[in-house]
Amino acid sequence: MGNVIGIGAAPKRKEDQRFLTGRGNYVSDIKRPGMAAGVFVRSPHGHAVLRLARYPAAGASRTPRVFR
Amino acid sequence: MQISFTLNGRPTTVDVEPATLVAELLREQLNLTGTHIGCDTSQCGACVVHLDGLPVKSCTLLAPALDGATLLTIEGLQGAPGSNLMHPMQEAFREHHGLQCGFCTPGMLMTAVALAAEKPDLTEAEVRHGLEGNICRCTGYQNIVVSVMAGAAAMNAAKGE
Ligand code: FES
Ligand code: FES
């Protein structure tokens, strides 16, 4: 198998070294100054009509750290 | 509170909230993001590190438990000291395609190294049983098992030298 080229070949992957040594960079590994965390709130009802969207509790919305 | 421990061979002192998980401490405070959090509920094994030589899920360990202990993370796993080589288990995973996206890989490696260190002549059944706490969504495990068997054999051979 060693000298197979193309289909059937098992070449060494270039990305493996960093994954094997803990140096991959996954989305959750990225840190930026002032970074916010995203939260999805989904409707618990199928085919519901959205009449009024109330954003997080009044207290939370007054906090400058909560974006919406 | 202040805790002191040996991290990947280096004496380390940090200030932590006592309720901090070791996985968080490593990733957020010490910027060692090789230890992954796949579930945060002790199921996936992506966060496995060695505490005093034993594999533990760092998402289920509180930072104060580190005080005075020795911790090894994927960043500290290496071949013969000073050689710049990867650990034989890491080499085996590369050689035998024991990874795809690589997310589960640090935990797989830490678990595998501990397994092989504890029992040099691992059987395939023992490897499969030993990896029960590590979930991989990519590989289907076949190549991981092959890699661990090969890595364990290589660790043994290196010991004999
Ligand atoms: S993050 Fe620790 S077991 Fe999944
Ligand atoms: S290689 Fe992707 S989860 Fe295991």
Side-chain angles (χ1 to χ4, degrees), chain B residues 101-126:
Chain B
C101 79
F103 195 84
C104 71
T105 310
M108 287 287 177
L109 287 165
M110 298 312 280
T111 302
V113 168
L115 271 180
E118 197 195 353
K119 189 163 186 299
D121 53 341
L122 285 170
T123 64
E124 183 183 329
E126 285 166 337

Side-chain angles (χ1 to χ4, degrees), chain A residues 13 20 26 28-29 31, chain B residues 27-28 31 90 100-102:
Chain A
R13 306 197 312 164
L20 288 163
Y26 296 83
S28 57
D29 298 340
K31 248 199 240 169
Chain B
R27 295 180 48 83
E28 311 290 332
N31 285 321
Q90 291 169 312
Q100 286 182 27
C101 79

Side-chain angles (χ1 to χ4, degrees), chain B residues 9-84:
Chain B
R10 285 193 207 106
T12 305
T13 298
V14 286
D15 238 318
V16 284
E17 287 287 324
T20 308
L21 295 168
V22 172
E24 286 173 10
L25 169 68
L26 290 169
R27 295 180 48 83
E28 311 290 332
Q29 231 170 308
L30 299 168
N31 285 321
L32 293 175
T33 55
T35 297
H36 294 156
I37 298 179
C39 67
D40 221 352
T41 48
S42 288
Q43 299 175 61
C44 75
C47 63
V48 174
V49 295
H50 292 182
L51 177 66
D52 290 332
L54 294 174
V56 292
K57 292 182 171 177
S58 64
C59 71
T60 308
L61 188 69
L62 290 167
L66 294 181
D67 203 32
T70 296
L71 194 71
L72 182 73
T73 72
I74 186 66
E75 287 89 349
L77 195 65
Q78 54 177 4
S83 65
N84 225 349

Side-chain angles (χ1 to χ4, degrees), chain A residues 54-68:
Chain A
R54 244 191 256 282
Y55 289 108
S61 63
R62 264 189 252 116
T63 313
R65 287 172 164 277
V66 176
F67 307 94
R68 59 194 200 198

Side-chain angles (χ1 to χ4, degrees), chain B residues 83-97:
Chain B
S83 65
N84 225 349
L85 291 176
M86 287 201 297
H87 188 277
M89 192 60 79
Q90 291 169 312
E91 285 295 348
F93 268 65
R94 173 158 68 184
E95 183 66 29
H96 299 280
H97 301 272

Side-chain angles (χ1 to χ4, degrees), chain A residues 7 20 34 39 41 47 49 59 64:
Chain A
I7 295 171
L20 288 163
V39 176
V41 180
H47 294 274
V49 176

